[in-house]
Amino acid sequence: MNYDFRYTVSRRGFLAAVAGAAISASMRTAVASAIDERQIKVAPGETRFSGADGPPTAVWTYNGSVPGPALRLRQGQPVRITVENGLDEGTTVHWHGIRLPNAMDGVPGLTQPPIRPGESFVYEFTPPDAGTFWYHPHADSLVQIGRGLAGPLIIEEAEPVAVDRDLLWLLQDWRLTKDGRIAGGFGSMMDASMSGRVGNLVTVNGQAQGGQSVRAGERLRLRLANASLARMMALRFEGHWPVVLAIDGQPCDPHEPEDGRLVLAPAMRIDIALDMQGDPGSRHDVIDDFYDGLAYRLTTLAYDKAPPLRAHPLDAPQALPRNSLPEPDLANAVRQEIVLQGGMMGGGKLARVGGMTGMGMPGMNGGAAWAINGMSMTGDGHAGMAPQFMLERGASCHLTMRNETAWWHPMHVHGFSLSVLSRNGSPVPHRQWQDTVLLAPRDVIECAFVADNPGDWMLHCHVADHQMAGLMTVFRVT
Ligand code: C2O
Ligand code: CU
Ligand code: CU
């Protein structure tokens, strides 16, 4: 998969020019609100991580490819996506980060029955926010995402953003056997109670090798999405100074990341502006050094020999236009607290957590190893999950998340974007909104949102093993 949107952008620019010149305003409205129809077929398939000549690996695919096709939709334009299930087990599609009607959220049991083998489900929604999102199954998630099901979801701004190219890297982490097959053993107690199923091969848009070709002087918008089950990443662009434009699809105040490292936990997205300031013909590594002592080269920026695209560097990148998110009223907000508990502690002991609801003993396959506020909801979502708390529609919620475990957790909320207020008592700068907030061991995060969207919504760790083993809850907006 090569997600280079140069041509899409220029075609759109062309269409816009034609529309402006020849089509009346009413016709333009009709064009904008026409329903965009898409088809996705979920089915087993094959991919080659090391290029056309490499060995094949059996995977599960959306429309035959890994990752799935990049869905590029328009902000405010209704879309209808028909998903056909060609697997031997039930599935759903969750449109991660999109603020949509609850019935379209793709959580089995909670918002829809799983799509049975051979059947289809039609998802209909109108994406309210422009930005970088992704889609993935929410049924048997650990196995289904681990076998490759994930795809990028781009919601275009109304006006094209001023960059030379718009690129996307969807990052996936695979645990492969020596002979290159996807390893079994999903949901082992070791993975579930510790770091989750971290793999041994990381791909960029489905490819393990090969670099990103670039041209000196150009400015890229690079959309990074971590679609791994469990691998945290911290990307460093050697010799380059990325500027963060958006986190989890939501524009923030443009800023250089701390220490030049882009920390990207599972399910997180970061959009950067990247000015190609290297020399023609030069090569620069992109390193992931999240885990101490385990740094590796993710990919390489490979400059072609062409002379720089422009003689002088560009001015600092502009902020992206903000989406219209409802601003929480902190003075009158309802306070809720989520405490993350469990997991392996020092000395190889599982922390004791109350109210285990999983089957079997804590930490056994399919059982609970984690809890939220003393309660473990295991699996992927199912009928009869009692909400942890209720919010009245329109209320502002001030949510504190407290990590009492010894592990990292990217906590994800469905249906909303959270205004991130503070981390361990220090204000979070750059006016950030996120749907997935990474908590380091012992971190305390404060965030806020307006409960403007009714329904039962998931709140869970996006390390798939952690979610399956109890780090999940539900809240209700009435
Ligand atoms: Cu990315 Cu509950 O999901
Ligand atoms: Cu989600
Ligand atoms: Cu976790």
Side-chain angles (χ1 to χ4, degrees):
M1 283 267 111
N2 179 19
Y3 299 124
D4 179 341
F5 297 117
R6 190 166 20 176
Y7 306 110
T8 324
V9 170
S10 55
R11 201 192 87 237
R12 265 201 59 218
F14 171 74
L15 285 177
V18 171
I23 304 180
S24 73
S26 62
M27 279 177 74
R28 238 177 301 160
T29 316
V31 169
S33 60
I35 295 185
D36 190 350
E37 297 267 1
R38 306 292 174 112
Q39 310 281 335
I40 290 183
K41 170 130 195 210
V42 195
E46 226 177 57
T47 197
R48 290 168 200 268
F49 294 128
S50 42
D53 305 329
T57 300
V59 290
W60 290 355
T61 70
Y62 289 128
N63 290 355
S65 70
V66 161
L71 295 179
R72 206 173 166 97
L73 310 176
R74 295 186 65 181
Q75 185 176 22
Q77 179 177 14
V79 60
R80 183 184 291 143
I81 307 170
T82 304
V83 175
E84 186 190 338
N85 184 7
L87 300 176
D88 287 336
E89 61 180 57
T91 193
T92 62
V93 178
H94 171 60
W95 314 96
H96 182 115
I98 304 284
R99 299 185 297 135
L100 41 57
N102 190 256
M104 298 293 124
D105 200 38
V107 181
L110 201 65
T111 71
Q112 69 169 100
I115 313 168
R116 289 191 300 210
E119 296 187 353
S120 297
F121 187 89
V122 180
Y123 292 93
E124 283 187 277
F125 56 91
T126 303
D129 302 323
T132 305
F133 301 91
W134 66 299
Y135 59 99
H136 63 79
H138 221 289
D140 196 12
S141 318
L142 177 58
V143 171
Q144 293 192 6
I145 299 174
R147 293 197 178 280
L149 291 176
L153 177 54
I154 307 299
I155 313 297
E156 292 178 342
E157 287 82 12
E159 302 293 330
V161 169
V163 290
D164 297 306
R165 283 196 294 160
D166 182 335
L167 301 179
L168 183 140
W169 292 357
L170 188 118
L171 310 173
Q172 284 167 296
D173 178 39
W174 308 84
R175 189 182 287 181
L176 300 179
T177 60
K178 283 205 184 65
D179 51 356
R181 281 172 306 152
I182 293 178
F186 285 95
S188 80
M189 179 253 191
M190 275 277 276
D191 289 338
S193 62
M194 305 212 279
S195 60
R197 183 178 159 111
V198 175
N200 48 18
L201 179 79
V202 177
T203 56
V204 179
N205 299 339
Q207 291 301 305
Q209 284 141 29
Q212 174 67 57
S213 47
V214 298
R215 169 141 185 217
E218 69 175 337
R219 171 171 289 173
L220 303 180
R221 174 186 189 166
L222 178 55
R223 304 167 186 265
L224 302 162
N226 184 351
S228 304
L229 289 175
R231 181 183 287 277
M232 315 280 160
M233 298 182 185
L235 305 188
R236 198 189 286 286
F237 289 73
E238 288 188 348
H240 293 76
W241 291 268
V243 173
V244 177
L245 301 177
I247 304 176
D248 290 351
Q250 300 295 352
C252 56
D253 298 337
H255 62 278
E256 289 190 16
E258 220 176 298
D259 307 323
R261 273 167 116 225
L262 296 158
V263 176
L264 209 57
M268 282 186 67
R269 291 87 62 212
I270 297 181
D271 287 30
I272 56 173
L274 195 60
D275 286 332
M276 307 317 303
Q277 293 166 351
D279 295 328
S282 65
R283 295 173 71 85
H284 304 261
D285 288 342
V286 181
I287 304 291
D288 169 10
D289 63 1
F290 183 88
Y291 300 102
D292 274 344
L294 296 173
Y296 66 97
R297 183 178 63 211
L298 175 71
T299 187
T300 304
L301 302 173
Y303 281 73
D304 63 25
K305 302 241 161 59
L309 194 63
R310 44 179 65 82
H312 302 288
L314 292 166
D315 291 340
Q318 300 271 305
L320 296 173
R322 292 213 170 230
N323 294 310
S324 54
L325 292 158
E327 199 59 54
D329 171 6
L330 293 178
N332 296 299
V334 179
R335 283 185 176 256
Q336 296 293 346
E337 185 169 88
I338 291 289
V339 182
L340 315 183
Q341 301 153 319
M344 198 63 82
M345 305 299 276
K349 285 219 170 62
L350 268 179
R352 258 214 253 157
V353 287
M356 301 288 197
T357 57
M359 290 141 55
M361 294 296 287
M364 298 294 282
N365 288 350
W370 308 89
I372 290 181
N373 295 359
M375 237 194 25
S376 305
M377 284 183 184
T378 55
D380 284 286
H382 27 82
M385 298 177 90
Q388 177 79 238
F389 58 86
M390 317 260 200
L391 296 169
E392 263 173 53
R393 189 174 183 179
S396 291
C397 177
H398 178 288
L399 178 66
T400 302
M401 296 193 274
R402 190 181 293 281
N403 181 5
E404 292 187 345
T405 79
W407 301 89
W408 295 74
H409 305 290
M411 295 301 295
H412 168 53
V413 62
H414 286 214
F416 303 89
S417 276
L418 308 173
S419 162
V420 187
L421 304 173
S422 76
R423 183 181 295 271
N424 303 324
S426 312
V428 170
H430 319 303
R431 294 187 294 154
Q432 285 175 210
W433 293 75
Q434 293 176 231
D435 58 58
T436 308
V437 184
L438 179 60
L439 278 79
R442 311 287 165 193
D443 263 6
V444 180
I445 291 279
E446 287 179 292
C447 48
F449 65 103
V450 177
D452 59 351
N453 199 351
D456 281 3
W457 300 101
M458 282 271 173
L459 172 53
H460 63 85
C461 177
H462 223 289
V463 170
D465 304 83
H466 293 180
Q467 176 209 314
M468 303 297 283
L471 213 44
M472 172 164 70
T473 193
V474 168
F475 64 96
R476 176 172 296 165
V477 177
T478 56

